[in-house]
Amino acid sequence: MKKLMMVAISALASFGLLAEDIYVSPTGNDEENTGADQWKPLKTINAALEKLGTEGGTIYLADGTYDAEKPHATENDLGDSALILSAPIVIESLSGDPSRVTLKRDTSLGLFRAVYLNHPDAVLRNLTISGFTATSKKAGGGVYIGSAGGLIDH
C-alpha cells in the first residue's frame, strides 16, 4: 500500500498536479513571508523562483510594478536576463489584467533582457514588460525564448 501511494504521488507530480503556487507583491517580504498565500506574499520574483526550484509551479503577481533584478544564478551567458525560467513555471498576473502588472528595467543593473524562457512548460501570462532593449549581438529585448521553448500568453 505504501509503495502504491508513492507511485501515485510521483505520477501526480510528474503531471504537474501537485505544483506549488507562490504569491508575490511589491509590498511583500522575502525574509518574513512564505509566499504560500496572497496575504503573506514574497517581494521578489527571483525569491519565488528559488522557492519553486526545478519542480515548477505558478507564481502569481499582485498588481504593481516589479523592478527587474539580477538573477541569483546564471546559465552560460544568460546573466543579462532578469528572470531565467528553465523549469515548468508559470508567471502570471493574479488579477488577469496585463495592464496592472509590469516588469520594468532597472537601468543601473545593466540588464537588457527581462525573461529567458528555456523550458517547454515555462509560461508568461498577462504581464506587461517595459524598458528592455537588445544591444548589438545580444538576443532578445523583452523576452528571449531558448531552444527548449516556452510560451507567452497575453
Side-chain angles (χ1 to χ4, degrees):
M1 181 67 168
K2 188 175 184 181
K3 187 175 182 179
L4 181 60
M5 181 65 93
M6 294 297 274
V7 170
I9 289 172
S10 179
L12 288 172
S14 70
F15 288 112
L17 299 175
L18 295 179
E20 188 173 1
D21 292 340
I22 301 290
Y23 295 84
V24 178
S25 169
T27 60
N29 187 311
D30 289 346
E31 285 79 37
E32 296 177 15
N33 295 347
T34 64
D37 64 59
Q38 61 184 325
W39 312 118
K40 292 192 179 198
L42 297 173
K43 182 175 180 67
T44 64
I45 300 168
N46 274 324
L49 288 171
E50 273 189 11
K51 197 166 185 62
L52 291 176
T54 59
E55 296 302 314
T58 302
I59 298 172
Y60 292 101
L61 303 179
D63 292 353
T65 299
Y66 296 83
D67 289 324
E69 58 183 283
K70 286 216 180 221
H72 298 288
T74 62
E75 297 178 11
N76 303 327
D77 62 343
L78 302 174
D80 291 330
S81 300
L83 305 171
I84 300 170
L85 278 64
S86 294
I89 294 174
V90 176
I91 299 178
E92 69 177 280
S93 163
L94 183 60
S95 69
D97 183 348
S99 69
R100 295 169 63 177
V101 176
T102 301
L103 176 63
K104 75 175 186 118
R105 181 177 183 214
D106 180 343
T107 55
S108 69
L109 297 177
L111 298 169
F112 68 89
R113 183 184 304 129
V115 183
Y116 176 72
L117 296 175
N118 198 30
H119 192 281
D121 296 320
V123 178
L124 296 177
R125 183 174 292 132
N126 295 324
L127 309 173
T128 298
I129 296 175
S130 173
F132 293 87
T133 56
T135 57
S136 65
K137 298 185 182 181
K138 297 284 188 174
V143 178
Y144 179 75
I145 299 177
S147 60
L151 175 69
I152 300 171
D153 183 14
H154 189 31

